[in-house]
């Protein structure tokens, strides 16, 4: 078992969530700009998407590190390490406060949309027991005349962990950051009457949703490539483990990026992003440093910055 240190804790609960959320910052900024009627950036959907990303990822990492911290008795005698958990909770509370502030300035549809996409992310590693649902149903049956006195011992209720469902990591990452960001931006702009009917060239709605969803799903699978050996040993059913090969996984990821590129070949920003992502698929592997995979999370960001920079230079 690796030793929990302050640099490791800071990386997991501060640095990594912030860096990953910068993709949501770039993508929500792009969508806000091209979907607005007056070509401006709306701070509300951008803040919602960034803080939601930080909360979902930061809470997940913090939970893992708290379990690691409590499992080692030596940590109890390290007050400096314990204080960093306080900093981490403060950071998450600040993010939640910013999220609440942004949501308070938006229509109710934005709140419902955000909740629908953030809830699965927050429950990502939480064991969901069906025991309570069974207890409620038995009580309801008893109220309506059902037999509450069963002689046999009740069967233990199954426990569901979303993260352990094969393919869910890739699907959820893609939908939350692709469809989720688009829906949040749409609800905010439509609620303020600033939604355009036609997106500026070379963009359209289908491009934004498909490109974002596929890109984020592929990145999620790339992180599973990094952990292939460990996941294979403990039997975690990730896509590479199910395929039984890192090579097969890379071929499929490359095909996904190439299909998106060919579908939207007229958009140079999507073309460049897909080519860059495909190159990273083959450059990064199970022996690559963990931080190197952050480049994969920003295969979109670099080209979004290129587009927005060109637009502002033309003003």
């Amino acid at each position: 078992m690796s030793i929990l240190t302050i640099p490791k804790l800071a990386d997991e609960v501060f640095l990594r969530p912030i860096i990953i959320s910068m993709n949501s910052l770039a993508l929500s900024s792009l969508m806000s700009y091209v979907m607005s009627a007056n070509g401006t950036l709306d701070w509300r959907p951008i803040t919602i998407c960034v803080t939601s990303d930080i909360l979902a990822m930061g809470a997940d990492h913090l939970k893992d590190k708290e379990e690691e911290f409590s499992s080692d008795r030596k940590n109890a005698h390290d007050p400096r390490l314990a204080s960093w958990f306080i900093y981490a909770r403060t950071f998450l509370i600040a993010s939640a406060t910013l999220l609440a502030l942004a949501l308070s300035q938006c229509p109710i549809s934005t709140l419902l949309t955000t909740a629908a996409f953030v809830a699965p992310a927050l429950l990502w590693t939480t064991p969901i027991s069906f025991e309570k649902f069974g207890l409620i149903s038995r009580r309801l049956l008893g109220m309506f005349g059902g037999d509450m006195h069963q002689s046999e011992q009740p069967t233990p209720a199954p426990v569901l962990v979303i993260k352990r469902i094969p393919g869910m990591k890739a699907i959820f990452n893609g939908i939350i950051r692709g469809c989720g960001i688009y829906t949040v931006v749409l609800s905010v702009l439509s609620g303020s009457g600033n939604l355009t009917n036609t997106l500026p060239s070379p963009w359209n709605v289908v491009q934004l949703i498909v490109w974002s969803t596929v890109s984020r799903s592929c990145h999620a699978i790339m992180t599973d490539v990094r952990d292939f050996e460990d996941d294979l040993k403990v039997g975690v059913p990730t896509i590479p483990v199910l395929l039984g090969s890192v090579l097969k996984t890379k071929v499929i990821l490359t095909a996904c990026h190439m299909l998106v590129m060919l579908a939207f070949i007229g958009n140079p920003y999507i073309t460049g992003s897909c080519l860059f992502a495909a190159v990273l698929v083959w450059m990064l592997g199970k022996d690559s440093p963990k931080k190197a995979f952050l480049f994969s999370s920003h295969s979109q960001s670099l080209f979004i910055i290129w587009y927005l920079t060109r637009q502002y230079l033309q003003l």
Side-chain angles (χ1 to χ4, degrees):
M1 180 183 292
S2 60
I3 301 175
L4 181 62
T5 61
I6 290 177
K8 182 179 178 181
L9 178 61
D11 177 72
E12 291 289 337
V13 300
F14 291 100
L15 184 61
R16 197 164 298 273
I18 290 174
I19 292 177
I20 296 297
S21 69
M22 291 300 100
N23 176 256
S24 293
L25 171 65
L27 189 55
S28 59
S29 296
L30 172 67
M31 291 185 180
S32 176
Y33 180 82
V34 300
M35 292 170 62
S36 64
N38 54 7
T40 58
L41 296 176
D42 192 314
W43 69 273
R44 295 171 297 172
I46 297 172
T47 302
I48 290 170
C49 294
V50 172
T51 54
S52 296
D53 236 11
I54 291 175
L55 282 172
M57 190 176 306
D60 182 25
H61 290 182
L62 179 61
K63 180 181 178 181
D64 290 341
K65 296 309 167 188
E66 284 179 333
E67 292 176 354
E68 187 176 344
F69 177 79
S70 59
S71 64
D72 190 344
R73 295 180 179 179
K74 295 179 181 179
N75 291 330
H77 302 289
D78 190 346
R80 292 179 64 250
L81 188 58
S83 65
W84 275 86
F85 281 97
I86 298 176
Y87 302 151
R89 296 187 192 98
T90 303
F91 174 59
L92 294 180
I93 291 173
S95 298
T97 303
L98 281 175
L99 174 61
L101 174 63
L103 288 171
S104 69
Q105 303 300 312
C106 299
I108 188 65
S109 59
T110 303
L111 174 61
L112 297 176
T113 298
T114 303
F117 284 102
V118 173
L122 293 175
L123 296 174
W124 184 242
T125 57
T126 302
I128 302 174
S129 175
F130 293 96
E131 184 177 356
K132 292 183 178 180
F133 296 103
L135 178 61
I136 293 174
S137 63
R138 289 194 295 272
R139 287 181 176 177
L140 288 175
L141 287 174
M143 290 174 60
F144 291 99
D147 186 10
M148 288 288 293
H149 303 284
Q150 299 180 358
S151 57
E152 66 275 8
Q153 191 73 15
T155 304
V159 176
L160 172 68
V161 179
I162 298 176
K163 185 178 181 179
R164 298 306 178 189
I165 303 176
M168 280 297 102
K169 178 180 179 180
I171 293 172
F172 274 30
N173 267 277
I175 292 177
I176 290 173
R177 291 189 172 91
C179 304
I181 291 178
Y182 170 78
T183 308
V184 168
V185 174
L186 177 67
S187 66
V188 173
L189 295 182
S190 60
S192 60
N194 190 30
L195 184 66
T196 184
N197 295 322
T198 306
L199 271 62
S201 178
W203 303 100
N204 62 53
V205 171
V206 175
Q207 287 180 358
L208 291 174
I209 294 177
V210 173
W211 175 46
S212 304
T213 302
V214 173
S215 177
R216 296 305 305 182
S217 295
C218 288
H219 168 67
I221 297 175
M222 279 298 295
T223 61
D224 290 334
V225 167
R226 179 194 67 205
D227 301 327
F228 176 74
E229 297 291 349
D230 293 335
D231 291 339
L232 185 62
K233 289 178 182 178
V234 298
V236 179
T238 62
I239 298 296
V241 170
L242 293 176
L243 292 174
S245 168
V246 169
L247 179 60
K248 291 180 182 178
T249 305
K250 290 191 173 189
V251 170
I252 292 174
L253 290 176
T254 303
C256 290
H257 288 305
M258 292 301 98
L259 286 173
V260 173
M261 184 190 73
L262 293 175
F264 309 126
I265 195 67
N267 189 318
Y269 306 101
I270 293 181
T271 299
S273 171
C274 290
L275 286 173
F276 181 54
V279 170
L280 289 174
V281 166
W282 294 99
M283 288 181 62
L284 301 174
K286 52 187 176 60
D287 298 323
S288 301
K290 191 173 183 179
K291 292 183 178 179
F293 282 82
L294 294 174
F295 287 103
S296 175
S297 69
H298 287 287
S299 60
Q300 289 179 292
S301 305
L302 299 176
F303 294 88
I304 291 173
I305 293 172
W306 176 27
Y307 171 76
L308 293 176
T309 300
R310 288 191 62 185
Q311 298 308 303
Y312 277 96
L313 289 177
Q314 292 174 5
L315 295 178

